[in-house]
Amino acid sequence: METHEETPIIYTMENKPIVTCAGDQSLFTSLYTSLAQQLPKEPMEWRRSYGRAPKMIHLEANFVQFKEELLPKDGNRALLTFPFLHIYWTDCCDTEMYKASVKDDMLRWQSTLRLHGSVDWLIVVVESEAKKKNKTNILPRTSIVDKIRNDFCNKQSDRCVVLSDPLKESSRSQDSWSSFLTKLRTLLLMSFTKNLGRFEDDMRTLREKRTEPGWSFCDYFMVQEELAFVFEMLQQFEDALVQYDELDALFTQYVLNFGAGDGANWLGSFCAPVKRWSGLLLRRPIDMEKRELIQRSEASLLDLRSYLFSRQCTLLIFLQRPWEVTQRALELLHNCVQELRLLEVSVVQGALDCWVFLSCLEVLHRIEGCCDRAQLEANCSHTVGLWTYATEKLKSLGYLCGLVAEKGPTSEDLNRTVDLLAGLGEERPETVNSLQSPYKKLNEALSSVEAFEKHYLELSHAAMEMYRTIGRMRSSRLIGKSLAEFYMKKGVPERAEGFLDDSLRSYVAEGWSLQVTHTRKQMAECQKLLQQTEDYLQTSALLAGDANLTEEERRHFCQEILTFASQPPAPSDQTVALSMAAFAQLRQMQFSPPGAVVHVGAALQLELRVRCLMPVAVQVEQLAATLHFSLEQGGARGRAGSTQRRTGQGPQGQGDGVVLFPHGSPLAGAGLGAPLPPALELYEMQDRSPSDSSLNSTGVVCKNMHLLLRRHDSSASLDTPTAGALPAAVAVDDGAQMLRARDITLQPGDNSILFTAPTGEPGSYTLRQLCGSVGRVQFVQSHIYPVVQYEVYSQEPQLTIEPLSDNLLAGIPQKVKFTIATGHYSVKKGDALQLSNTDSMPILHSSCCSATILSSTGERVGERALSVQSSEKVTSISLPPTPPYHTLEFQLEVLCHIPPTPFKPDIEHLTNGEVRHRPKSHSHADSGMINIDQKVSIDCPWSIYSTLISLTFYVPFKAKHSILSAGKRKYIQVCLQNVSDTNFHLADPVLTERQPTIPVELLSLNAKTQQTVCCQQSVFCLWEMRWVKHLPLCLQCAFSASFAPVSASDAHTSFKPYRYEFQLDRVSTLYSLKAEILPPSGDQHCRTGALCGLEVSITRQAEPSETEGEEEESTEIEGLRTTKLMYEVVDNSSNWAVCGKSSGVVSMPVAASATHRVQMEVMPLFAGHLPFPNIKVFKYLPHSAVPAIQPDTDSCLENDTMSLLDKGLDDQGDTASIRSRGSVHSVGSGEQQREQQRGLPMPRLEPFSPGQVFYWSQGRQVLVLPVTDDHVMEVNVT
Amino acid sequence: MAVCIAVIAKENYPLYIRSVPVQNELKFHYTVHTTLDVVEEKISAVGKAMADQRELYLGLLYPTEDYKVYPSHMIKNMAVTNSKVKFVIVVDSSNTSLRDNEIRSMFRKLHNSFTDVMCNPFYNPGDTIQSKAFDSMVSAMMVQAS
């Protein structure tokens, strides 16, 4: 550290508090070395006034010989030169000598001190053994020390210290040293406290006077700085810094007050015009030149600030806080500029720039001087601000002095430069020899264009590099941009381009539109100079559509493009492809028809709404969209599949063929926020099982997940192409199919363009590129998103026949609808459908048949008459001519005849089969509706194969017959059940015998000839049979009736026949059965619990005919033909208890009116009108007979022959058990019986046919009285 | 008071930016944009400690010769999401009478007004702010200066 030659005492940091030494100088000199060493060794605690924290300090002192001049005179408040302690040294041990000289000397010393008011003194008496021995006349009792204490230290005995044998290495000597040093330190500190306290008080008083007129800041400054110096001297840098900060704040406040109109007189000196701008000087601890200026109140504001800062800087560096220096430096520089402005100090233009530039560099140099490289690099963030500031200032100086202009500086510029350099003054002696001083740099930079460029670039790059290292990319780019401006000024656009591009990208990425516009304008200029035609045009296009620019500017850029476009193309260069995004925005596309699914060759129009961003109308020669054609979703899939896919268009596709393009993303060029994330595109997803199309799962799928979840890189996510970044795929391939529109004028704003889409081939067409040609320029949008596509399908002609109503009913005319989807086939005149006739289903053709023709969109096109011609085998329907992809619909009436016979199991089987195939005809299948499948074979004109179509008809009725008997008389009942959902009129029910071998008269007992059968209701018809001789064994009957739906208008024609055929066997009554219940004898009525007699009489009604006789097993016993019958009394309702035997076998003589009576006993279990127990009769066949059990399905007698077998019929006497219910048969017993049947021959029972046995007492009841209660209840009362 | 007030989205694009001397608009845009560097640096440096603080005032971060730029940022619903919206107030540095707590109160006002904007159900978070109420509040803060 350099010291100033002329003023040697202060101002080096070797300053120490002054301690004067009087007395024996040679003695002191001998002790000086060890004293100076020992003093700072141990710290002392310094307790301070005003509540300041005590501090441990290491004391040092500057020992000087006592001179009277050293003592401060009144009013001199210089603290640095102030002697804090006065020491008198003596080694006198001789009383005589003491009295003779030393005492007087001491007295003189004391009086001088007292004269100057100094009370901080100390007398050191050095004792030495050697000296004592030499002297003989030592007073043993009173030593010199005591004498001195007596003489000088009235009450302050501690002011005299003994130092014994200081130069010897003994413990005594060490003890005395340490006590001496402690004393010395204590006294020193006491002196500090006292003197500094007094000083501070004075200082404060002075400060309080600052409002008084004569007060001067500079004077006060010098006072407080004195204090700072002392703290610095005591190594209390923190405290020293506080003093300067206080001064700084005070000054700042004055300046602010001045700005607020409260000016102080002394500020006038600081308002003087700035004449020197030599920058900060930080190389010296104290800049004496400036200090003197301040002392003389001649300092300018910059001088004061510079000096203040240099002191703060010095102290901060002592405190190891270099980064605070940089921060404060930047604040200071900003502040100074502001203060000069505020104080309205006149400054030569550029002078401040010089000052700031020099100061920045000076601070940086100073910092570099005290830190190593690694530290510097790690703390770029602290220094970079200064670097930038210096760069800025140098740049503005460069512009000011004409160093940036292409032509170089003018003479005016040179004059200005000279003035500025003059203000710098001479270079300081410290830096004269260094090569890189700020002074030299500035001098050099301002001296020539080349040097300026060199320095400016150096600084800029350094600052940019630093910003980049600490990740402040925006700041770095801003410098880069100003560098680009510099290059542009210099006429080196190729260098500017990179910086501009970098900045532009970042602004675009972050969506700062004004910057984008500004930088893009610079870019355009640059590209124009570089003759990058394509990039320039692209940038121009973006600028022409930029809303931030004025109309005029936009027109200019638009004109640039149009001018280029209209130039005749040179043979070498091709058309220039530019991005569409800058030129126009897609708004929406709309298909017409909206489904965007059309058949081959159909007209499909696409309306494109485009917002043209250009400021003027642009004539576009051709606007073309290339199509990507793929077969994958071609016509084979037909219509259903494609429409389904269409509906899932998501947020853009609105189902009506409109595709909206999102606004935000493509217009980042125009300035709106590009970073908006794309909207979620959600689709419904349904997973159906392939077999029965039931829903397995459903969910929501996000289709643009790849866009949403991708990483957001700041650099990579530039969607919009900036200049030169157009994708290479712009090349338009001409072979592909295109949507074209020619010669359109695009007005600024929204335009609508109509395209006709090619529909030549089936498949799916996707719009890929959009390209607008304006002369040599093509605007290309390489992707159209969201995907716009349409489908063209091709369809095979198709014929469907379906019933108009839910179900086709057999027997009555039904309407069926023929639908012909013509597909790609065009129905020509003369084309006819050939239906092969079947007998069971004639086609009823009416003359007024007409066909409707519908277009593919379901629009009704026309209606044509249809002619139907029937020949014997073929019904031919001639179709009206129909264009392709239309639908032809017409209706025909068909009739399906009801097969007459009751359908036997094979038809039943068919029904079952049908049920399995057609689950939809549920209710009718359940209700037992019989259906008939009718296959229709149709020859279509478009196919060589016949189309086989199956129609299912349902028979509306179900018939049942039964035979009823009354004695010998017979009745036939037919039950007709309407199983359909239609109400019918039923007319003329007729029962006829089909093969009347033996004439039987059937007498109708039905009252009405016509009646209504409601749906699901039944009608019963009854006929009595009359015959002459005897009934035939087998009777074949046919029931027929006509029916017509109630709703039918024309009652006569619409009545259709219904026929039901059936066969009756063994109808005539063979036996009649009569039962009688007799009350017990002597009683008039039956009573419960009393046995009653049951008399059953079985009477043979007729002799069997010859045919019947064959069936009946008869045996000849004693010349009498008898047949065996088995009877059984069963009471199913638990009313009766059959007592004794309940069944038995009787032999009936084969003769008319032969009667057999059987007596049994029954007991009524309840009172009331009880129905008679059931009595059943069976044929009893011996075992030899061949079993011929064929139970008639229509039999009303449901008998189980088996159940009787296990009763052990041979053992009749044991069957007297009470059998209330016939529920004993089990599977096991049944199997057993069958085995018995097979194994050993058993007698069999065979039921009679219905009607063969007539029960007289069917339904009869007998009155049973309750039994008189003869129970006696004994009641004993005690 | 203020010469430029900006609200900047999490993604660093301006949601709102207005400055008083219109001719200097571009300069303010550049300044505010560059400030983001310092704001980001500060936020990442302070990091988690920031979340506990209620006051998100970052202090004078980006002084320039002509202006003092006071950025602040906002963490909305601290527990759930960081909206990381940043507010920047640029003050003319010749305006020396402005105290720190005045700047704070300006930010508080700005913040409250912004919260109102966010509460508007018709406002789409991320859109530029076009609320008239917000605009007039900002104007009021700027007018006080002149």
Side-chain angles (χ1 to χ4, degrees):
Chain A
M1 262 163 257
E2 300 91 336
T3 53
H4 210 271
E5 297 301 319
E6 290 114 308
T7 47
I9 308 172
I10 23 176
Y11 344 8
T12 62
M13 285 330 296
E14 278 83 51
N15 271 342
K16 287 165 194 167
I18 292 168
V19 175
T20 62
C21 300
D24 192 341
Q25 286 302 316
S26 57
L27 171 68
F28 169 69
T29 317
S30 69
L31 290 173
Y32 171 76
T33 331
S34 43
L35 183 62
Q37 265 177 15
Q38 301 271 9
L39 185 63
K41 264 196 180 163
E42 277 177 51
M44 272 302 274
E45 194 188 56
W46 185 22
R47 300 176 187 279
R48 304 171 65 196
S49 54
Y50 297 111
R52 281 174 282 194
K55 286 196 167 178
M56 299 300 284
I57 59 173
H58 294 266
L59 286 167
E60 277 183 280
N62 195 7
F63 296 93
V64 295
Q65 195 181 349
F66 178 77
K67 280 173 196 156
E68 203 178 335
E69 308 93 84
L70 279 178
L71 291 174
K73 288 151 194 84
D74 272 344
N76 186 356
R77 288 196 208 83
L79 268 181
L80 277 186
T81 52
F82 184 82
F84 284 95
L85 192 63
H86 308 276
I87 307 176
Y88 191 90
W89 299 86
T90 180
D91 59 349
C92 177
C93 52
D94 187 353
T95 322
E96 300 305 316
M97 201 177 137
Y98 169 70
K99 279 183 178 163
S101 61
V102 176
K103 190 180 174 183
D104 291 345
D105 197 34
M106 275 184 177
L107 277 169
R108 223 169 19 254
W109 175 68
Q110 280 272 305
S111 65
T112 320
L113 288 181
R114 216 172 294 129
L115 193 69
H116 288 92
S118 179
V119 290
D120 304 301
W121 51 266
L122 178 68
I123 298 169
V124 186
V125 180
V126 181
E127 283 180 355
S128 98
E129 291 296 322
K131 225 175 178 180
K132 272 186 186 172
K133 279 173 193 167
N134 293 343
K135 309 289 174 184
T136 47
N137 51 344
I138 306 164
L139 288 174
R141 270 175 292 148
T142 52
S143 67
I144 297 291
V145 180
D146 294 329
K147 274 190 179 300
I148 294 174
R149 279 187 185 147
N150 265 334
D151 292 341
F152 297 100
C153 324
N154 299 332
K155 285 161 191 170
Q156 299 165 289
S157 58
D158 56 337
R159 293 276 167 166
C160 185
V161 185
V162 178
L163 191 61
S164 13
D165 287 328
L167 297 172
K168 286 196 176 161
E169 291 286 319
S170 68
S171 65
R172 191 162 166 245
S173 137
Q174 275 191 358
D175 285 351
S176 76
W177 259 118
S178 81
S179 71
F180 163 67
L181 285 171
T182 313
K183 179 66 70 185
L184 183 60
R185 287 181 194 125
T186 315
L187 286 173
L188 256 178
L189 279 181
M190 270 171 63
S191 168
F192 286 157
T193 314
K194 194 165 66 200
N195 289 301
L196 288 184
R198 200 161 54 211
F199 187 85
E200 279 179 359
D201 287 344
D202 290 348
M203 188 183 84
R204 249 172 240 119
T205 319
L206 186 60
R207 192 161 62 196
E208 292 314 309
K209 287 181 188 158
R210 65 182 182 273
T211 46
E212 288 173 17
W215 195 80
S216 160
F217 177 77
C218 293
D219 295 346
Y220 177 73
F221 183 94
M222 298 321 284
V223 173
Q224 188 156 9
E225 193 186 26
E226 199 73 30
L227 189 63
F229 281 149
V230 175
F231 282 123
E232 189 181 348
M233 183 175 76
L234 295 175
Q235 316 264 305
Q236 300 305 304
F237 301 118
E238 199 78 57
D239 290 293
L241 187 61
V242 168
Q243 307 311 316
Y244 283 110
D245 288 348
E246 276 179 20
L247 283 170
D248 194 346
L250 187 66
F251 186 74
T252 307
Q253 194 55 52
Y254 267 106
V255 175
L256 292 185
N257 290 351
F258 183 87
D262 178 20
N265 286 339
W266 56 266
L267 260 175
S269 69
F270 294 104
C271 295
V274 175
K275 296 204 181 69
R276 284 164 53 80
W277 38 88
S278 52
L280 293 174
L281 184 66
L282 304 175
R283 279 152 216 260
R284 310 173 188 170
I286 297 172
D287 184 350
M288 285 316 292
E289 280 172 58
K290 296 245 164 62
R291 188 165 192 270
E292 275 159 26
L293 282 175
I294 296 167
Q295 215 161 7
R296 293 201 303 268
S297 295
E298 285 168 11
S300 69
L301 185 124
L302 287 185
D303 290 332
L304 179 77
R305 283 287 181 197
S306 302
Y307 177 72
L308 204 53
F309 184 75
S310 75
R311 294 295 302 141
Q312 287 168 326
C313 171
T314 309
L315 292 170
L316 282 169
I317 286 171
F318 279 134
L319 287 166
Q320 307 279 311
R321 278 144 61 176
W323 313 123
E324 204 176 325
V325 175
T326 59
Q327 193 202 325
R328 279 169 174 243
L330 206 56
E331 271 173 43
L332 167 91
L333 298 178
H334 288 154
N335 192 33
C336 284
V337 174
Q338 281 302 320
E339 280 180 349
L340 286 175
R341 234 178 257 172
L342 195 66
L343 295 176
E344 290 162 352
V345 175
S346 75
V347 187
V348 177
Q349 198 188 4
L352 268 184
D353 294 340
C354 289
W355 185 76
V356 170
F357 176 79
L358 289 173
S359 302
C360 284
L361 291 192
E362 178 70 17
V363 174
L364 291 171
H365 274 260
R366 184 75 186 87
I367 296 301
E368 274 163 29
C370 68
C371 297
D372 57 23
R373 180 154 285 280
Q375 254 181 310
L376 273 174
E377 271 168 18
N379 288 283
C380 275
S381 58
H382 296 103
T383 53
V384 71
L386 289 170
W387 282 106
T388 317
Y389 204 16
T391 315
E392 267 173 42
K393 290 300 163 190
L394 186 62
K395 184 185 166 193
S396 73
L397 278 174
Y399 280 91
L400 186 72
C401 300
L403 293 167
V404 183
E406 265 178 276
K407 293 165 195 155
T410 60
S411 61
E412 197 184 328
D413 294 332
L414 287 175
N415 281 338
R416 199 177 290 139
T417 312
V418 169
D419 286 348
L420 284 176
L421 288 177
L424 297 181
E426 284 298 308
E427 182 162 19
R428 314 279 171 66
E430 295 94 329
T431 56
V432 167
N433 298 324
S434 86
L435 289 170
Q436 282 276 301
S437 71
Y439 180 87
K440 285 209 184 69
K441 261 191 193 167
L442 184 60
N443 243 327
E444 199 179 307
L446 293 184
S447 63
S448 76
V449 173
E450 292 74 26
F452 171 77
E453 186 178 342
K454 175 180 154 268
H455 284 290
Y456 176 59
L457 293 185
E458 196 180 297
L459 276 174
S460 294
H461 285 295
M464 278 174 76
E465 194 51 51
M466 278 183 224
Y467 273 135
R468 219 169 287 149
T469 5
I470 57 173
R472 296 193 188 173
M473 299 311 286
R474 295 181 191 88
S475 309
S476 164
R477 286 193 189 108
L478 195 63
I479 297 177
K481 217 173 80 61
S482 78
L483 208 53
E485 279 161 24
F486 170 75
Y487 280 128
M488 290 299 290
K489 269 264 164 74
K490 297 283 287 180
V492 203
E494 59 268 25
R495 291 211 177 164
E497 195 196 359
F499 292 114
L500 286 176
D501 189 43
D502 193 29
S503 304
L504 187 56
R505 272 169 193 278
S506 87
Y507 297 141
V508 168
E510 294 198 328
W512 289 73
S513 64
L514 270 186
Q515 276 104 308
V516 168
T517 310
H518 181 238
T519 315
R520 205 169 262 159
K521 244 164 77 183
Q522 292 174 325
M523 192 72 174
E525 200 186 332
C526 173
Q527 285 164 341
K528 193 174 188 181
L529 287 174
L530 287 173
Q531 301 201 318
Q532 296 172 335
T533 318
E534 197 167 315
D535 294 342
Y536 174 63
L537 290 177
Q538 181 64 59
T539 313
S540 297
L542 286 167
L543 285 168
D546 197 328
N548 283 328
L549 289 177
T550 59
E551 184 74 17
E552 201 180 333
E553 284 172 303
R554 290 177 60 183
R555 270 173 207 278
H556 163 74
F557 286 112
C558 185
Q559 203 52 52
E560 288 283 301
I561 303 169
L562 295 179
T563 315
F564 175 82
S566 60
Q567 280 167 1
S572 58
D573 53 18
Q574 294 174 331
T575 55
V576 174
L578 303 178
S579 160
M580 176 75 90
F583 175 71
Q585 290 169 2
L586 301 185
R587 305 298 286 189
Q588 70 169 51
M589 283 201 192
Q590 185 165 16
F591 282 104
S592 153
V597 179
V598 292
H599 55 74
V600 170
L604 178 68
Q605 287 197 320
L606 178 62
E607 189 194 352
L608 172 66
R609 290 258 193 98
V610 166
R611 171 165 295 176
C612 181
L613 298 170
M614 294 295 113
V616 293
V618 178
Q619 183 77 25
V620 178
E621 281 141 39
Q622 173 179 294
L623 190 64
T626 41
L627 290 170
H628 174 80
F629 172 70
S630 78
L631 266 175
E632 67 183 283
Q633 285 175 329
R637 271 187 56 187
R639 195 181 266 206
S642 53
T643 43
Q644 201 175 11
R645 198 192 46 72
R646 270 272 144 194
T647 49
Q649 268 280 326
Q652 271 84 28
Q654 306 209 322
D656 48 357
V658 179
V659 180
L660 290 176
F661 295 94
H663 298 197
S665 56
L667 94 177
L672 251 164
L676 288 175
L680 285 176
E681 281 182 35
L682 295 177
Y683 292 80
E684 185 185 2
M685 185 201 71
Q686 292 187 339
D687 178 19
R688 292 179 181 279
S689 84
S691 56
D692 56 347
S693 76
S694 65
L695 196 61
N696 279 345
S697 70
T698 184
V700 173
V701 180
C702 176
K703 288 226 171 160
N704 58 351
M705 195 164 58
H706 58 287
L707 291 174
L708 294 161
L709 294 185
R710 96 183 144 186
R711 277 182 53 215
H712 286 279
D713 293 334
S714 57
S715 55
S717 64
L718 290 183
D719 293 334
T720 45
T722 51
L726 209 63
V730 154
V732 184
D733 51 349
D734 295 321
Q737 280 182 299
M738 281 196 193
L739 297 172
R740 264 181 235 266
R742 288 184 192 281
D743 291 325
I744 320 153
T745 306
L746 289 180
Q747 299 291 341
D750 284 347
N751 292 272
S752 170
I753 301 149
L754 211 60
F755 293 102
T756 305
T759 52
E761 270 185 72
S764 111
Y765 294 80
T766 311
L767 268 69
R768 280 289 165 87
Q769 267 183 12
L770 197 65
C771 173
S773 316
V774 182
R776 289 164 67 198
V777 177
Q778 284 194 327
F779 293 100
V780 179
Q781 173 138 359
S782 51
H783 296 289
I784 296 177
Y785 183 85
V787 173
V788 179
Q789 60 177 29
Y790 64 92
E791 273 175 30
V792 176
Y793 65 88
S794 158
Q795 197 188 22
E796 289 300 314
Q798 212 177 352
L799 168 69
T800 48
I801 301 176
E802 49 197 9
L804 267 186
S805 53
D806 280 353
N807 290 301
L808 291 171
L809 293 177
I812 49 172
Q814 294 285 296
K815 280 196 170 171
V816 289
K817 190 166 108 180
F818 282 65
T819 309
I820 300 169
T822 53
H824 59 72
Y825 181 80
S826 111
V827 180
K828 294 170 282 291
K829 195 174 160 81
D831 280 342
L833 293 178
Q834 309 280 347
L835 280 70
S836 56
N837 292 347
T838 49
D839 292 334
S840 57
M841 196 192 78
I843 288 160
L844 310 170
H845 47 84
S846 48
S847 53
C848 58
C849 196
S850 70
T852 312
I853 301 168
L854 302 171
S855 74
S856 57
T857 50
E859 237 172 290
R860 195 185 165 98
V861 173
E863 200 167 327
R864 301 281 164 74
L866 198 70
S867 68
V868 181
Q869 282 155 354
S870 287
S871 69
E872 201 173 321
K873 291 197 168 164
V874 173
T875 302
S876 145
I877 305 163
S878 56
L879 301 171
T882 312
Y885 297 103
H886 278 61
T887 309
L888 190 66
E889 283 180 358
F890 57 89
Q891 293 174 3
L892 278 186
E893 278 195 327
V894 292
L895 178 69
C896 176
H897 292 300
I898 302 173
T901 39
F903 313 111
K904 286 298 174 185
D906 51 339
I907 294 177
E908 207 90 35
H909 176 72
L910 180 88
T911 313
N912 295 343
E914 278 300 301
V915 166
R916 213 175 304 139
H917 279 291
R918 294 199 158 204
K920 278 181 187 167
S921 54
H922 36 83
S923 63
H924 299 282
D926 293 343
S927 67
M929 230 166 145
I930 298 161
N931 52 10
I932 310 155
D933 264 5
Q934 277 295 343
K935 297 260 193 305
V936 187
S937 163
I938 303 167
D939 289 325
C940 301
W942 54 80
S943 169
I944 54 162
Y945 302 106
S946 300
T947 313
L948 207 61
I949 285 168
S950 173
L951 291 172
T952 305
F953 291 88
Y954 293 87
V955 180
F957 296 110
K958 208 168 160 185
K960 268 195 292 192
H961 67 274
S962 53
I963 185 150
L964 307 170
S965 309
K968 280 186 173 178
R969 291 197 288 179
K970 293 290 168 184
Y971 302 89
I972 299 172
Q973 188 194 49
V974 175
C975 167
L976 193 68
Q977 190 189 358
N978 180 2
V979 286
S980 74
D981 289 331
T982 321
N983 298 339
F984 287 105
H985 287 303
L986 192 70
D988 308 326
V990 176
L991 189 69
T992 49
E993 203 183 352
R994 271 193 295 161
Q995 291 154 329
T997 45
I998 303 158
V1000 174
E1001 191 189 346
L1002 294 169
L1003 196 67
S1004 172
L1005 299 175
N1006 303 315
K1008 293 182 195 161
T1009 55
Q1010 184 169 346
Q1011 63 191 114
T1012 310
V1013 197
C1014 294
C1015 59
Q1016 309 297 342
Q1017 301 294 319
S1018 300
V1019 160
F1020 291 89
C1021 303
L1022 194 67
W1023 284 266
E1024 186 181 357
M1025 290 166 80
R1026 297 263 178 94
W1027 62 94
V1028 185
K1029 250 173 93 184
H1030 57 86
L1031 273 168
L1033 192 62
C1034 173
L1035 195 65
Q1036 289 196 323
C1037 297
F1039 168 82
S1040 66
S1042 0
F1043 67 96
V1046 170
S1047 55
S1049 52
D1050 193 357
H1052 292 288
T1053 51
S1054 61
F1055 269 102
K1056 297 293 168 193
Y1058 176 75
R1059 209 172 147 80
Y1060 172 63
E1061 291 179 0
F1062 56 93
Q1063 182 175 339
L1064 294 169
D1065 288 325
R1066 288 170 287 195
V1067 228
S1068 56
T1069 312
L1070 286 180
Y1071 300 98
S1072 66
L1073 217 65
K1074 205 168 186 174
E1076 201 67 54
I1077 291 182
L1078 307 168
S1081 53
D1083 210 340
Q1084 211 166 357
H1085 293 287
C1086 302
R1087 285 178 192 279
T1088 49
L1091 282 177
C1092 306
L1094 174 67
E1095 193 185 79
V1096 180
S1097 59
I1098 304 165
T1099 313
R1100 178 107 201 180
Q1101 285 294 330
E1103 279 182 64
S1105 62
E1106 283 173 20
T1107 45
E1108 277 180 352
E1110 287 168 17
E1111 287 182 33
E1112 218 167 346
E1113 198 63 39
S1114 58
T1115 44
E1116 293 270 345
I1117 301 167
E1118 298 163 15
L1120 199 65
R1121 268 177 76 224
T1122 55
T1123 48
K1124 282 193 171 170
L1125 290 178
M1126 187 192 141
Y1127 66 88
E1128 191 192 10
V1129 179
V1130 175
D1131 178 39
N1132 280 336
S1133 51
S1134 316
N1135 289 330
W1136 302 90
V1138 185
C1139 305
K1141 70 178 192 181
S1142 64
S1143 58
V1145 177
V1146 293
S1147 294
M1148 288 294 293
V1150 188
S1153 304
T1155 305
H1156 199 286
R1157 285 172 201 277
V1158 183
Q1159 300 281 341
M1160 276 173 289
E1161 282 188 321
V1162 290
M1163 188 168 70
L1165 298 173
F1166 297 102
H1169 287 282
L1170 295 185
F1172 276 38
N1174 283 348
I1175 299 149
K1176 290 179 184 171
V1177 189
F1178 302 94
K1179 290 179 213 169
Y1180 188 78
L1181 303 177
H1183 56 81
S1184 55
V1186 182
I1189 308 170
Q1190 277 297 337
D1192 196 342
T1193 44
D1194 290 327
S1195 163
C1196 20
L1197 247 171
E1198 288 283 314
N1199 279 315
D1200 41 354
T1201 55
M1202 311 301 184
S1203 67
L1204 292 167
L1205 284 170
D1206 62 345
K1207 283 168 123 185
L1209 291 170
D1210 295 332
D1211 196 1
Q1212 291 179 4
D1214 293 336
T1215 55
S1217 59
I1218 299 173
R1219 290 182 54 90
S1220 53
R1221 258 154 240 201
S1223 58
V1224 279
H1225 21 110
S1226 64
V1227 181
S1229 59
E1231 278 173 3
Q1232 202 186 2
Q1233 289 149 22
R1234 240 170 281 145
E1235 274 171 24
Q1236 282 176 343
Q1237 253 181 318
R1238 260 179 245 136
L1240 55 148
M1242 292 279 290
R1244 290 183 302 109
L1245 292 178
E1246 198 174 296
F1248 286 100
S1249 298
Q1252 280 188 310
V1253 177
F1254 177 70
Y1255 296 93
W1256 282 96
S1257 46
Q1258 178 109 37
R1260 268 190 71 186
Q1261 292 181 330
V1262 65
L1263 180 67
V1264 179
L1265 296 178
V1267 73
T1268 38
D1269 192 2
D1270 46 3
H1271 289 278
V1272 179
M1273 187 189 286
E1274 285 184 13
V1275 180
N1276 293 326
V1277 181
T1278 50
Chain B
M1 235 186 265
V3 286
C4 176
I5 289 178
V7 181
I8 295 151
K10 181 182 163 219
E11 294 87 357
N12 289 337
Y13 64 93
L15 289 173
Y16 181 92
I17 180 161
R18 226 180 105 195
S19 49
V20 159
V22 181
Q23 66 274 16
N24 260 351
E25 201 182 0
L26 183 66
K27 186 177 174 183
F28 282 120
H29 280 235
Y30 276 119
T31 308
V32 171
H33 182 243
T34 319
T35 313
L36 293 177
D37 268 343
V38 194
V39 178
E40 276 182 354
E41 200 175 288
K42 193 85 174 176
I43 291 171
S44 65
V46 180
K48 294 284 177 281
M50 205 71 179
D52 307 331
Q53 269 173 267
R54 270 191 68 83
E55 180 82 19
L56 300 160
Y57 175 55
L58 297 176
L60 175 64
L61 274 194
Y62 192 79
T64 65
E65 197 178 292
D66 302 319
Y67 305 108
K68 289 177 185 163
V69 185
Y70 290 91
S72 161
H73 85 138
M74 181 178 120
I75 301 174
K76 206 184 66 173
N77 292 338
M78 282 178 244
V80 188
T81 54
N82 291 359
S83 82
K84 285 188 177 166
V85 168
K86 284 148 274 204
F87 298 117
V88 175
I89 296 181
V90 183
V91 171
D92 200 321
S93 59
S94 64
N95 190 345
T96 45
S97 59
L98 212 55
R99 303 266 166 221
D100 208 41
N101 53 3
E102 286 175 79
I103 302 277
R104 276 170 200 269
S105 82
M106 278 165 82
F107 272 122
R108 221 163 289 137
K109 255 196 242 170
L110 195 63
H111 194 152
N112 288 343
S113 196
F114 179 71
T115 314
D116 289 346
V117 171
M118 295 297 281
C119 291
N120 179 359
F122 298 103
Y123 174 73
N124 218 344
D127 285 358
T128 50
I129 296 171
Q130 272 149 353
S131 153
K132 278 181 188 160
F134 190 81
D135 207 50
S136 62
M137 190 273 314
V138 168
S139 305
M141 285 209 283
M142 287 176 158
V143 160
Q144 272 175 304
S146 51

